[in-house]
Amino acid sequence: MNKVTIVGSGNWGSVAAKLIASNAIKLSNFHDEVRMWVFEETLPSGEKLTDVINKTNENVKYLPGVKLGKNVVADPNLERAVKDANMLVFVSPHQFMEGICKRLVGKIRTDAEGISLVKGMEVKKEGPCLISTLISNQLRINCSVLMGANIANEIAMENFSEATVGYRQNKEAAEKWVQLFNTPYFNVTSVEDVEGVEMCGTLKNIVAVAAGFIDGLEMGNNTKAAIMRIGLKEMIAFSKLLFPSVKDSTFFESCGIADLITTCMGGRNRKVAEAYAKNRGKRSFDELEAEMLKGQKLQGVLTVKEVYEVLTARGWVEMFPLITAVYKISSGLLPPSAIVEFSSNSHNRIQSRL
Amino acid sequence: MNKVTIVGSGNWGSVAAKLIASNAIKLSNFHDEVRMWVFEETLPSGEKLTDVINKTNENVKYLPGVKLGKNVVADPNLERAVKDANMLVFVSPHQFMEGICKRLVGKIRTDAEGISLVKGMEVKKEGPCLISTLISNQLRINCSVLMGANIANEIAMENFSEATVGYRQNKEAAEKWVQLFNTPYFNVTSVEDVEGVEMCGTLKNIVAVAAGFIDGLEMGNNTKAAIMRIGLKEMIAFSKLLFPSVKDSTFFESCGIADLITTCMGGRNRKVAEAYAKNRGKRSFDELEAEMLKGQKLQGVLTVKEVYEVLTARGWVEMFPLITAVYKISSGLLPPSAIVEFSSNSHNRIQSRL
């Protein structure tokens, strides 16, 4: 009997709980109960968030109006929440993942399998630290990832969408994850390419910033589609340089083109970048983030700085004109219009290398 | 010395003339003069269209406000226009292509090379008749194609975009076409996959109809991205079944994902399909076409009928749930909401075959 615990309970974590709970109760090889670790908060009413979730089956703070399923149990104690589970779903903000892993060392079942839904790894000079690798290394468990064109609120409304499970060797574990997440309105497929799937989830935000610049400059759908395509090619090339096992076909999955399309159409990376270009770079990203994101930092802008560091450290800058342009524009080194100018200079040389 | 004639002078043909003229005048291996065959019309002013084009360097009817270049010569006589050219650019509406080819038999240079910019081939039971094949067979010349995310008016404004030349074996000819079309704002690359590139240009319209249904049903970006992805996978699968030489990598080019994105974001296939779904199928496509397209037929609806005939004739229906759903919805056999329902039934089975 498989027992599932969800580590995290934000917007996406709550939707994951709803998907998983609907399957756990139906499938005979899963315990009905799905435990969800909730970082405890006191609500304005004075009640504890976990108490309200357990009473109403709703995460009133992060996914109001949606029933999670009666078999979801909110637990404010991380160690207690994970101790009986052999399937751990990680879905916390990525800056908390290192701390969470440290707390869990020695507290989980030795036969546990992990899956990460966390988007946004850390890219360091010595290479990117994938969240799935962090989990694997710290907890000594196998860890898959699930990524895709997944706007949490749209899935909560049961609008049709898809996702991709990326796994490393253990196909049996991947099939269990697919079984656990797949519903008639949420179609999940698996590919043996954990790095490729996880890289998609991070790098797409850089392309979304580029797409936002095009929107702000009002250059039209043609140009935007061209920039998205060039961005996708650079995503593939960068992923393959870092991880030679990454497969082209992964980018045809939901985690690839579908997530890229969603992120470049809606999404806050696109939106803030659009505002930046509309202001012709006269208002900084810091200022716009403070105004539009209540001071949160934009994922794409953070990621592109880290990726650019890798490019310079390894001498790859010339091969990635779009990523380089996004970096230089978002740092104020170039005007937003540079997003298309790079191409006319370097297109043919680059094209032949990618 | 290469001599170019453009067979066609509509909106896209005129933009092609502008691109080509700007290069022909600069490149030493091309004659400056670019001849453009114009189907003669008398304008409301009483003047002949060709006379006005030659006087003003503007196609006042199909691309008003844009200078084509002084080296473009409009010619109302098809046979005279082509007789000296060794590079023939075909850019007429596809329903006229068979007639044009018949008129040109024996009238062109035997060493001529052709390129087709015509989107929308005819798919017959015995297989699709690609326009490049029609040209090759009737005129006994080699014929490449040029496709991409190319909204004519955006390129006329010199907004950055890209295109793909698909060629058959003759790489030297392809490079000459790239040289002739490529500009700083219009980046052209070539791939040895004439069928793949041409199939992209036609099949994308079917996916755009599906995307329009999603827009009309207001299902959000997630679902739309998922449908576009499934559509792309079916485009690839159908192309490869018909032409085993088609390459996956072609779909990462401008003719593939970029054109698909542009067509599913803007474009009239998407727009009319959106209106159809908004009306819950209560107003027929015929009625909407009459109202929104002045009676012209929607390319995607015509193409999906032809493709569906191929699917039934060859026993492939089960493998193409999205194309099948678009066919059945646009024929009134299923409601627009069926566009997502197909997936929940057949996803996993299909997925493994694609």
Side-chain angles (χ1 to χ4, degrees):
Chain A
M1 286 286 269
N2 296 294
K3 194 147 184 4
V4 185
T5 289
I6 300 165
V7 179
S9 57
N11 188 227
W12 185 209
S14 302
V15 175
K18 175 183 185 314
L19 290 165
I20 289 169
S22 74
N23 282 322
I25 209 160
K26 270 186 277 183
L27 297 167
S28 57
N29 54 334
F30 286 86
H31 263 288
D32 285 357
E33 186 189 289
V34 173
R35 207 156 270 264
M36 176 167 77
W37 173 58
V38 175
F39 183 83
E40 189 67 290
E41 299 181 47
T42 305
L43 298 173
S45 64
E47 291 170 293
K48 298 284 185 199
L49 179 56
T50 50
D51 290 338
V52 177
I53 293 173
N54 288 329
K55 201 170 61 190
T56 63
N57 293 128
E58 242 182 85
N59 187 335
V60 290
K61 181 145 184 189
Y62 297 105
L63 191 64
V66 175
K67 294 289 175 196
L68 302 182
K70 287 190 175 155
N71 49 329
V72 175
V73 176
D75 189 335
N77 183 313
L78 177 61
E79 290 78 2
R80 186 178 59 207
V82 298
K83 81 173 172 24
D84 297 328
N86 71 321
M87 295 180 80
L88 297 171
V89 179
F90 295 93
V91 58
S92 299
H94 88 285
Q95 63 269 30
F96 301 141
M97 281 307 301
E98 200 153 354
I100 288 171
C101 284
K102 279 190 181 137
R103 282 177 62 187
L104 291 183
V105 173
K107 305 285 167 58
I108 61 168
R109 280 171 56 169
T110 51
D111 66 342
E113 278 281 334
I115 193 165
S116 167
L117 277 55
V118 184
K119 290 186 180 179
M121 61 193 172
E122 280 174 57
V123 183
K124 298 171 183 168
K125 250 193 201 112
E126 62 274 20
C129 179
L130 295 172
I131 301 293
S132 60
T133 310
L134 174 79
I135 295 168
S136 280
N137 291 349
Q138 299 240 1
L139 302 181
R140 301 187 176 280
I141 59 174
N142 184 47
C143 190
S144 305
V145 297
L146 181 140
M147 306 274 151
N150 300 148
I151 300 168
N153 289 328
E154 292 186 10
I155 299 165
M157 288 165 65
E158 306 194 357
N159 283 351
F160 175 72
S161 82
E162 301 183 301
T164 315
V165 165
Y167 67 95
R168 193 191 313 276
Q169 290 161 349
N170 194 341
K171 185 161 174 59
E172 210 178 304
E175 276 168 5
K176 233 160 53 175
W177 289 120
V178 169
Q179 210 187 5
L180 189 62
F181 278 96
N182 194 66
T183 74
Y185 61 88
F186 190 70
N187 282 179
V188 184
T189 43
S190 64
V191 297
E192 189 178 348
D193 184 3
V194 67
E195 289 95 351
V197 174
E198 193 164 347
M199 289 299 281
C200 282
T202 301
L203 297 177
K204 62 164 191 175
N205 288 322
I206 298 178
V207 185
V209 170
F213 292 151
I214 301 296
D215 285 342
L217 296 165
E218 295 177 13
M219 300 192 75
N221 281 337
N222 253 6
T223 307
K224 187 168 173 179
I227 292 296
M228 288 168 66
R229 187 197 81 81
I230 295 169
L232 180 64
K233 286 216 96 163
E234 292 195 10
M235 284 170 64
I236 298 172
F238 185 70
S239 302
K240 288 168 87 168
L241 278 171
L242 287 181
F243 304 102
S245 65
V246 166
K247 298 170 183 163
D248 281 348
S249 57
T250 297
F251 297 83
F252 283 130
E253 297 301 327
S254 177
C255 62
I257 47 161
D259 197 11
L260 183 71
I261 290 169
T262 300
T263 311
C264 290
M265 292 304 140
R268 57 196 197 172
N269 285 282
R270 190 211 63 80
K271 198 172 164 186
V272 179
E274 181 185 30
Y276 185 80
K278 270 211 172 113
N279 289 296
R280 295 293 186 266
K282 280 177 195 138
R283 299 184 64 195
S284 70
F285 267 99
D286 285 341
E287 200 182 332
L288 292 166
E289 283 160 356
E291 186 180 300
M292 300 174 74
L293 304 178
K294 300 172 188 170
Q296 266 196 288
K297 304 308 281 178
L298 204 61
Q299 198 60 55
V301 171
L302 294 173
T303 305
V304 78
K305 279 195 184 120
E306 296 171 323
V307 171
Y308 187 73
E309 271 184 42
V310 177
L311 298 185
T312 48
R314 306 201 179 184
W316 295 344
V317 171
E318 278 211 321
M319 299 167 69
F320 296 93
L322 188 130
I323 293 174
T324 301
V326 171
Y327 167 71
K328 292 191 171 169
I329 295 165
S330 59
S331 314
L333 301 170
L334 284 175
S337 57
I339 195 63
V340 293
E341 281 153 22
F342 77 88
S343 261
S344 48
N345 300 322
S346 51
H347 171 76
N348 287 316
R349 182 162 42 84
I350 300 310
Q351 201 63 28
S352 61
R353 291 209 202 171
L354 291 183
Chain B
M1 288 286 271
N2 295 294
K3 196 147 184 0
V4 186
T5 290
I6 300 164
V7 178
S9 58
N11 188 228
W12 185 210
S14 301
V15 175
K18 175 183 186 310
L19 289 165
I20 290 169
S22 74
N23 283 321
I25 209 160
K26 272 187 277 183
L27 297 166
S28 57
N29 53 333
F30 286 86
H31 264 288
D32 286 356
E33 186 189 290
V34 173
R35 207 155 271 262
M36 177 168 76
W37 172 59
V38 176
F39 184 83
E40 189 67 289
E41 299 180 46
T42 304
L43 298 173
S45 63
E47 292 171 294
K48 297 285 184 198
L49 179 56
T50 51
D51 291 338
V52 177
I53 293 173
N54 288 330
K55 202 168 63 189
T56 63
N57 294 128
E58 242 182 84
N59 187 336
V60 291
K61 179 142 186 193
Y62 296 105
L63 190 66
V66 176
K67 293 289 174 196
L68 301 182
K70 288 191 174 154
N71 49 329
V72 175
V73 175
D75 189 335
N77 183 313
L78 177 61
E79 290 79 0
R80 184 176 62 204
V82 298
K83 80 175 172 22
D84 297 328
N86 70 322
M87 295 179 80
L88 298 170
V89 178
F90 294 94
V91 58
S92 299
H94 88 286
Q95 63 270 30
F96 301 142
M97 282 307 301
E98 199 153 356
I100 288 171
C101 284
K102 279 192 180 135
R103 281 177 61 187
L104 291 181
V105 173
K107 305 285 168 56
I108 61 168
R109 279 170 57 169
T110 51
D111 66 343
E113 278 280 336
I115 194 165
S116 168
L117 278 56
V118 183
K119 290 187 180 177
M121 60 192 175
E122 280 173 56
V123 182
K124 298 170 183 171
K125 252 196 202 114
E126 62 274 18
C129 179
L130 295 171
I131 300 292
S132 60
T133 310
L134 173 79
I135 294 168
S136 281
N137 289 351
Q138 297 241 1
L139 302 179
R140 301 187 177 280
I141 60 174
N142 183 46
C143 190
S144 305
V145 297
L146 181 142
M147 306 274 150
N150 300 149
I151 301 169
N153 289 329
E154 293 187 9
I155 299 165
M157 288 166 63
E158 305 193 359
N159 284 352
F160 174 70
S161 81
E162 300 183 301
T164 314
V165 164
Y167 66 95
R168 192 191 314 273
Q169 291 161 348
N170 194 342
K171 185 162 176 57
E172 210 180 303
E175 276 168 5
K176 235 161 52 177
W177 289 120
V178 169
Q179 209 187 7
L180 189 62
F181 278 96
N182 194 67
T183 74
Y185 62 87
F186 190 70
N187 283 179
V188 185
T189 43
S190 63
V191 296
E192 190 178 346
D193 184 4
V194 66
E195 289 94 351
V197 175
E198 193 163 347
M199 289 298 280
C200 282
T202 302
L203 297 177
K204 62 163 190 174
N205 288 322
I206 297 178
V207 185
V209 170
F213 292 151
I214 301 295
D215 285 343
L217 296 166
E218 295 177 13
M219 301 193 72
N221 281 337
N222 255 7
T223 307
K224 187 167 172 179
I227 291 297
M228 286 167 67
R229 189 197 78 82
I230 296 169
L232 180 63
K233 286 216 95 164
E234 292 194 12
M235 283 170 64
I236 298 172
F238 185 70
S239 301
K240 286 169 88 168
L241 279 172
L242 286 180
F243 304 102
S245 65
V246 166
K247 298 170 183 163
D248 280 347
S249 57
T250 297
F251 296 83
F252 284 130
E253 297 300 328
S254 177
C255 62
I257 47 160
D259 197 10
L260 183 70
I261 291 169
T262 300
T263 311
C264 289
M265 293 303 140
R268 55 194 199 177
N269 285 282
R270 190 210 63 79
K271 198 174 164 185
V272 179
E274 182 185 29
Y276 185 79
K278 270 212 172 112
N279 289 296
R280 295 292 185 269
K282 281 178 193 137
R283 298 184 63 196
S284 70
F285 268 99
D286 285 341
E287 201 182 331
L288 292 165
E289 284 159 356
E291 186 179 298
M292 301 174 74
L293 306 178
K294 299 171 187 169
Q296 265 195 289
K297 304 310 278 179
L298 204 61
Q299 199 61 54
V301 172
L302 293 174
T303 305
V304 80
K305 279 195 183 120
E306 296 170 323
V307 170
Y308 186 74
E309 271 184 44
V310 177
L311 297 185
T312 47
R314 304 201 181 185
W316 295 344
V317 171
E318 278 211 321
M319 301 168 68
F320 295 92
L322 188 130
I323 293 173
T324 301
V326 172
Y327 166 72
K328 291 191 172 168
I329 295 166
S330 59
S331 313
L333 300 170
L334 284 174
S337 58
I339 195 64
V340 293
E341 283 154 21
F342 76 88
S343 262
S344 49
N345 300 322
S346 50
H347 170 74
N348 287 317
R349 181 163 41 86
I350 298 310
Q351 201 63 27
S352 62
R353 294 207 200 172
L354 289 183

Short mmCIF file of all heavy atoms in Angstrom, two decimals, chain A residues 75-101:
data_model
loop_
_atom_site.label_atom_id
_atom_site.label_comp_id
_atom_site.label_asym_id
_atom_site.label_seq_id
_atom_site.Cartn_x
_atom_site.Cartn_y
_atom_site.Cartn_z
N ASP A 75 -1.31 18.86 8.13
CA ASP A 75 -0.49 18.57 9.31
C ASP A 75 0.57 19.66 9.44
O ASP A 75 1.37 19.85 8.51
CB ASP A 75 0.16 17.18 9.13
CG ASP A 75 0.84 16.72 10.41
OD1 ASP A 75 1.23 17.56 11.24
OD2 ASP A 75 1.00 15.49 10.58
N PRO A 76 0.62 20.38 10.56
CA PRO A 76 1.60 21.46 10.70
C PRO A 76 3.00 20.95 11.07
O PRO A 76 3.95 21.72 11.06
CB PRO A 76 1.03 22.31 11.84
CG PRO A 76 0.24 21.35 12.67
CD PRO A 76 -0.29 20.30 11.74
N ASN A 77 3.10 19.65 11.37
CA ASN A 77 4.38 19.09 11.82
C ASN A 77 5.04 18.33 10.67
O ASN A 77 4.58 17.25 10.26
CB ASN A 77 4.10 18.16 13.01
CG ASN A 77 5.39 17.60 13.59
OD1 ASN A 77 6.27 17.13 12.86
ND2 ASN A 77 5.51 17.65 14.91
N LEU A 78 6.14 18.90 10.15
CA LEU A 78 6.78 18.33 8.96
C LEU A 78 7.25 16.89 9.19
O LEU A 78 6.96 16.00 8.36
CB LEU A 78 7.97 19.22 8.54
CG LEU A 78 8.82 18.74 7.36
CD1 LEU A 78 7.99 18.63 6.09
CD2 LEU A 78 10.00 19.71 7.12
N GLU A 79 7.95 16.68 10.29
CA GLU A 79 8.52 15.35 10.54
C GLU A 79 7.41 14.31 10.70
O GLU A 79 7.51 13.20 10.17
CB GLU A 79 9.42 15.38 11.78
CG GLU A 79 10.73 16.14 11.60
CD GLU A 79 10.57 17.66 11.67
OE1 GLU A 79 9.43 18.16 11.91
OE2 GLU A 79 11.58 18.37 11.48
N ARG A 80 6.37 14.65 11.41
CA ARG A 80 5.26 13.71 11.58
C ARG A 80 4.55 13.45 10.24
O ARG A 80 4.16 12.34 9.93
CB ARG A 80 4.26 14.28 12.61
CG ARG A 80 3.13 13.31 12.96
CD ARG A 80 2.20 13.91 14.02
NE ARG A 80 1.60 15.15 13.58
CZ ARG A 80 1.20 16.14 14.40
NH1 ARG A 80 1.32 16.00 15.72
NH2 ARG A 80 0.66 17.24 13.91
N ALA A 81 4.41 14.53 9.45
CA ALA A 81 3.69 14.40 8.19
C ALA A 81 4.36 13.41 7.23
O ALA A 81 3.68 12.69 6.50
CB ALA A 81 3.57 15.77 7.52
N VAL A 82 5.69 13.35 7.26
CA VAL A 82 6.39 12.51 6.26
C VAL A 82 6.70 11.10 6.75
O VAL A 82 7.01 10.22 5.94
CB VAL A 82 7.74 13.14 5.82
CG1 VAL A 82 7.51 14.49 5.14
CG2 VAL A 82 8.71 13.28 6.99
N LYS A 83 6.59 10.85 8.05
CA LYS A 83 7.25 9.64 8.58
C LYS A 83 6.70 8.31 8.05
O LYS A 83 7.46 7.36 7.89
CB LYS A 83 7.33 9.68 10.11
CG LYS A 83 6.11 9.29 10.88
CD LYS A 83 6.46 9.24 12.37
CE LYS A 83 5.29 9.04 13.30
NZ LYS A 83 4.08 8.41 12.83
N ASP A 84 5.42 8.24 7.72
CA ASP A 84 4.87 6.98 7.22
C ASP A 84 4.80 6.89 5.69
O ASP A 84 4.41 5.86 5.15
CB ASP A 84 3.44 6.79 7.77
CG ASP A 84 3.45 6.66 9.30
OD1 ASP A 84 4.44 6.13 9.85
OD2 ASP A 84 2.47 7.12 9.92
N ALA A 85 5.14 7.97 5.03
CA ALA A 85 4.92 8.02 3.58
C ALA A 85 6.06 7.36 2.81
O ALA A 85 7.22 7.51 3.16
CB ALA A 85 4.77 9.47 3.13
N ASN A 86 5.69 6.62 1.74
CA ASN A 86 6.72 6.13 0.83
C ASN A 86 6.71 6.93 -0.47
O ASN A 86 7.50 6.67 -1.37
CB ASN A 86 6.53 4.64 0.56
CG ASN A 86 5.31 4.38 -0.30
OD1 ASN A 86 4.29 5.06 -0.12
ND2 ASN A 86 5.39 3.43 -1.21
N MET A 87 5.78 7.89 -0.59
CA MET A 87 5.75 8.76 -1.78
C MET A 87 5.66 10.21 -1.31
O MET A 87 4.66 10.62 -0.72
CB MET A 87 4.56 8.40 -2.68
CG MET A 87 4.69 6.98 -3.27
SD MET A 87 3.30 6.52 -4.35
CE MET A 87 3.75 7.35 -5.88
N LEU A 88 6.73 10.95 -1.59
CA LEU A 88 6.84 12.34 -1.11
C LEU A 88 6.76 13.31 -2.28
O LEU A 88 7.56 13.23 -3.22
CB LEU A 88 8.16 12.53 -0.37
CG LEU A 88 8.36 11.70 0.90
CD1 LEU A 88 9.80 11.82 1.39
CD2 LEU A 88 7.38 12.15 1.99
N VAL A 89 5.80 14.22 -2.20
CA VAL A 89 5.59 15.21 -3.25
C VAL A 89 6.09 16.56 -2.75
O VAL A 89 5.53 17.11 -1.80
CB VAL A 89 4.09 15.31 -3.61
CG1 VAL A 89 3.87 16.37 -4.70
CG2 VAL A 89 3.54 13.95 -4.04
N PHE A 90 7.15 17.08 -3.36
CA PHE A 90 7.73 18.35 -2.92
C PHE A 90 7.19 19.50 -3.77
O PHE A 90 7.35 19.50 -4.99
CB PHE A 90 9.25 18.30 -3.01
CG PHE A 90 9.87 17.30 -2.07
CD1 PHE A 90 10.14 15.99 -2.48
CD2 PHE A 90 10.14 17.65 -0.74
CE1 PHE A 90 10.68 15.06 -1.60
CE2 PHE A 90 10.68 16.72 0.14
CZ PHE A 90 10.95 15.42 -0.29
N VAL A 91 6.56 20.46 -3.09
CA VAL A 91 5.96 21.56 -3.83
C VAL A 91 5.99 22.86 -3.00
O VAL A 91 5.03 23.60 -2.91
CB VAL A 91 4.54 21.15 -4.34
CG1 VAL A 91 3.62 20.74 -3.19
CG2 VAL A 91 3.89 22.19 -5.21
N SER A 92 7.19 23.11 -2.41
CA SER A 92 7.40 24.36 -1.67
C SER A 92 8.14 25.36 -2.55
O SER A 92 8.78 24.96 -3.52
CB SER A 92 8.28 24.07 -0.45
OG SER A 92 7.64 23.16 0.40
N PRO A 93 8.11 26.63 -2.21
CA PRO A 93 8.93 27.60 -2.95
C PRO A 93 10.40 27.18 -2.91
O PRO A 93 10.86 26.65 -1.90
CB PRO A 93 8.72 28.91 -2.17
CG PRO A 93 7.39 28.74 -1.50
CD PRO A 93 7.29 27.28 -1.17
N HIS A 94 11.13 27.38 -4.04
CA HIS A 94 12.43 26.73 -4.15
C HIS A 94 13.45 27.24 -3.14
O HIS A 94 14.36 26.52 -2.75
CB HIS A 94 12.96 26.78 -5.59
CG HIS A 94 13.73 27.98 -5.94
ND1 HIS A 94 13.15 29.20 -6.16
CD2 HIS A 94 15.06 28.16 -6.10
CE1 HIS A 94 14.07 30.08 -6.45
NE2 HIS A 94 15.24 29.49 -6.43
N GLN A 95 13.26 28.47 -2.66
CA GLN A 95 14.23 28.98 -1.68
C GLN A 95 14.13 28.27 -0.33
O GLN A 95 15.04 28.34 0.49
CB GLN A 95 14.12 30.51 -1.52
CG GLN A 95 12.81 31.01 -0.98
CD GLN A 95 11.79 31.33 -2.08
OE1 GLN A 95 11.81 30.71 -3.15
NE2 GLN A 95 10.91 32.28 -1.81
N PHE A 96 13.02 27.56 -0.08
CA PHE A 96 12.87 26.81 1.19
C PHE A 96 13.34 25.36 1.07
O PHE A 96 13.42 24.64 2.07
CB PHE A 96 11.41 26.82 1.65
CG PHE A 96 10.85 28.20 1.86
CD1 PHE A 96 9.55 28.50 1.50
CD2 PHE A 96 11.64 29.21 2.43
CE1 PHE A 96 9.04 29.79 1.70
CE2 PHE A 96 11.13 30.49 2.63
CZ PHE A 96 9.83 30.79 2.26
N MET A 97 13.61 24.91 -0.15
CA MET A 97 13.84 23.48 -0.35
C MET A 97 15.09 22.97 0.37
O MET A 97 15.08 21.86 0.91
CB MET A 97 13.93 23.16 -1.85
CG MET A 97 12.59 23.08 -2.54
SD MET A 97 11.44 21.94 -1.72
CE MET A 97 12.35 20.42 -1.82
N GLU A 98 16.14 23.78 0.39
CA GLU A 98 17.37 23.32 1.03
C GLU A 98 17.11 23.11 2.54
O GLU A 98 17.49 22.07 3.10
CB GLU A 98 18.51 24.32 0.80
CG GLU A 98 19.87 23.70 1.02
CD GLU A 98 20.98 24.39 0.21
OE1 GLU A 98 20.67 25.29 -0.61
OE2 GLU A 98 22.15 24.01 0.40
N GLY A 99 16.45 24.06 3.18
CA GLY A 99 16.12 23.96 4.60
C GLY A 99 15.22 22.77 4.90
O GLY A 99 15.43 22.04 5.88
N ILE A 100 14.22 22.58 4.04
CA ILE A 100 13.29 21.46 4.24
C ILE A 100 14.05 20.13 4.16
O ILE A 100 13.87 19.24 5.00
CB ILE A 100 12.14 21.52 3.20
CG1 ILE A 100 11.19 22.68 3.56
CG2 ILE A 100 11.39 20.20 3.13
CD1 ILE A 100 10.15 22.98 2.50
N CYS A 101 14.90 20.01 3.15
CA CYS A 101 15.66 18.75 2.99
C CYS A 101 16.51 18.49 4.23
O CYS A 101 16.58 17.35 4.72
CB CYS A 101 16.54 18.82 1.75
SG CYS A 101 15.61 18.61 0.23
#
